[in-house]
Amino acid sequence: IGGPLQRSTVKEYGAELLARSHMVFELQAALDREPQHGALIAHYQPQVDYARGTLIGLEALVRWQHPVRGMVFPNSFIPLAESTDKIYQLDMLVLEQVCRDMRAWLDVGLPVVPVSLNFSRRSLLHPQVIGDLQALLARYAIDGSMLEFEVTESQLLETGEVVAPRVAQFRALGARIAVDDFGTGYSNLDAISSFPFDRLKVDRQFVHGVADSDKVAGLFHLIQGIAELFKAELLCEGLEEEADLAWLAQRGADRVQGWYFSAARTPEAIVRILTVLRERTPDAPALTVQQL
Ligand code: C2E
Ligand code: MG
Ligand code: MG
Ligand code: MG
C-alpha cells in the first residue's frame, strides 16, 4: 500500500489495538485483585429532594485507580468491559462494595439511604444475577429495597432477549428499577410500557439550561408527562445551575442530582455526610449545598 498517510494510519491503528488489549489486560488484573484493595472503587453521588431538604439516595459510580494514569472515569473503560465480557464481574464487584459499605454504615447507626447502581444490560440478563444478588443480600443482611438498579434507556430497550421477566425478578426482591439517561435513546413508548419501572432519570441534556431554553423546557415537560403516565418517580440528573433548580422546583421536579449539590464522593466522605445528617434536628432548614 501507498503513501505516508496510509502507512501512518496503519501504524496508528496497530498502536491503538495494542493499547486496547493492554488496557483489557490491566482491567482484568484490577478485577481479580482483592476487592478491599480498591483498584476499582465506587464513589457515591448524593441524590436530594430539594423541596423536603432531604438526602434521598446515593448513586454508586465506579472509578479505576490506575497506578500510572491516576483516577480513570467509567466512560473510558465501561464500554471495554462490556465488549469483552468483563462487565458482569465489574458490576458485581461494585454491588458487593455497596452491600459492604451499607452494612458498615448501618452497624455504626448512620442514617443509610437507598443506593442506586448502574447495571449494564448484560449484567441485568446474566443467568446468575438473581442468585448472586440474593447471596449478597443475605451475606451482608441488606434489604433488597435499599437497592436500585439503573439501566440506560438505550440498553434497556435494545431489541433481543426480553428484559421484562428479569426486571420482575429484581422487583420481587424489593429492588427498584430506574431507566437511566432517559430521552437519549429512542424513547420507544411501546417498548417502555412492556415492563414496570420505578424511576425515570432525566438525562442532563434536558436539565442543563432548562431555565434558558424553550426547546429544552419543552422536552423536559414531555419527559415529565411520560413519567406521570407510567407512574414512575422522576429524578433529574446533571443539575449544575441554581436557575435550573429553581425552574424545576417550580414544576414540582424536586428530586435532583448533580454538581450543584455534590459530585460523587469517596465512601469516607459519605460517612462524614451521613454523620452530619444524623445530628440534624427534624426542624432543621432545607439542605444547603455546603452540607453535602
Ligand atoms: P450515569 O449513570 O448517567 O451517571 C452520571 C454521570 O454524570 C456520572 O459520570 C457523574 O459523575 C456525572 N455527573 C454527575 N453530576 C453531574 C453534573 O452536574 N454535570 C455533569 N456534566 N456531569 C455530572 P461518571 O461517574 O463518569 O459515569 C459515567 C457513566 O458510566 C455513568 O453514567 C454510567 O452509565 C456508567 N457507570 C458508572 N459506574 C458504573 C458501574 O458500576 N457499572 C456500569 N455498568 N456502568 C457504570
Ligand atoms: Mg446512572
Ligand atoms: Mg444518567
Ligand atoms: Mg450516562
Side-chain angles (χ1 to χ4, degrees):
I1 36 171
L5 183 70
Q6 275 159 320
R7 225 178 291 129
S8 78
T9 309
V10 170
K11 211 164 128 192
E12 271 167 36
Y13 183 66
E16 220 170 85
L17 267 184
L18 207 64
R20 194 183 125 95
S21 65
H22 184 61
M23 194 162 160
V24 174
F25 173 81
E26 287 184 314
L27 182 61
Q28 187 61 60
L31 283 166
D32 291 338
R33 284 251 172 85
E34 281 296 296
Q36 279 81 357
H37 185 90
L40 288 159
I41 184 176
H43 287 186
Y44 296 96
Q45 186 178 34
Q47 302 172 330
V48 306
D49 183 320
Y50 179 66
R52 289 171 191 76
T54 51
L55 180 75
I56 54 171
L58 298 166
E59 178 175 3
L61 293 159
V62 72
R63 274 89 183 87
W64 183 4
Q65 317 269 20
H66 190 278
V68 178
R69 293 193 292 154
M71 187 156 90
V72 183
F73 286 85
N75 287 339
S76 57
F77 63 90
I78 290 286
L80 201 66
E82 284 175 336
S83 64
T84 53
D85 236 344
K86 304 189 188 310
I87 192 64
Y88 186 65
Q89 198 183 347
L90 191 151
D91 284 342
M92 292 312 283
L93 190 110
V94 171
L95 176 61
E96 173 145 24
Q97 184 200 322
V98 166
C99 292
R100 196 170 58 239
D101 285 347
M102 283 181 127
R103 174 44 44 211
W105 300 339
L106 288 165
D107 283 347
V108 295
L110 290 171
V112 178
V113 289
V115 173
S116 306
L117 298 106
N118 293 282
F119 246 45
S120 293
R121 178 185 176 87
R122 255 185 136 122
S123 303
L124 185 83
L125 290 173
H126 194 281
Q128 254 115 49
V129 70
I130 295 299
D132 288 348
L133 171 59
Q134 277 175 313
L136 284 174
L137 292 176
R139 174 157 4 126
Y140 292 98
I142 299 295
D143 201 88
S145 64
M146 292 302 280
L147 299 178
E148 178 177 78
F149 293 85
E150 301 186 358
V151 186
T152 63
E153 183 202 340
S154 51
Q155 290 199 12
L156 208 47
L157 302 185
E158 231 168 70
T159 48
E161 200 180 332
V162 284
V163 297
R166 186 48 62 81
V167 162
Q169 285 179 300
F170 274 84
R171 294 176 90 238
L173 292 175
R176 289 157 46 98
I177 297 290
V179 183
D180 203 355
D181 300 352
F182 191 82
T184 63
Y186 292 104
S187 302
N188 179 334
L189 297 183
D190 180 52
I192 293 167
S193 65
S194 68
F195 60 88
F197 55 93
D198 304 279
R199 181 184 267 177
L200 200 155
K201 293 192 77 175
V202 186
D203 191 75
R204 71 165 168 271
Q205 78 183 81
F206 311 106
V207 173
H208 188 79
V210 73
D212 312 314
S213 158
D214 289 343
K215 186 178 165 208
V216 176
L219 291 167
F220 175 84
H221 278 304
L222 278 177
I223 295 173
Q224 195 176 30
I226 293 169
E228 261 165 44
L229 181 69
F230 292 112
K231 298 187 172 53
E233 198 178 282
L234 195 78
L235 188 142
C236 301
E237 58 180 5
L239 180 87
E240 296 178 16
E241 306 289 337
E242 184 149 21
D244 294 333
L245 176 64
W247 190 96
L248 293 167
Q250 229 165 45
R251 284 147 187 92
D254 299 319
R255 296 184 193 86
V256 288
Q257 179 182 347
W259 294 342
Y260 177 77
F261 284 103
S262 171
R265 304 282 189 84
T266 61
E268 295 73 32
I270 295 301
V271 167
R272 289 195 292 274
I273 289 171
L274 294 177
T275 306
V276 170
L277 293 180
R278 182 175 53 190
E279 314 307 330
R280 284 174 94 236
T281 54
D283 58 335
L287 284 176
T288 62
V289 183
Q290 292 76 27
Q291 278 170 310
L292 290 178

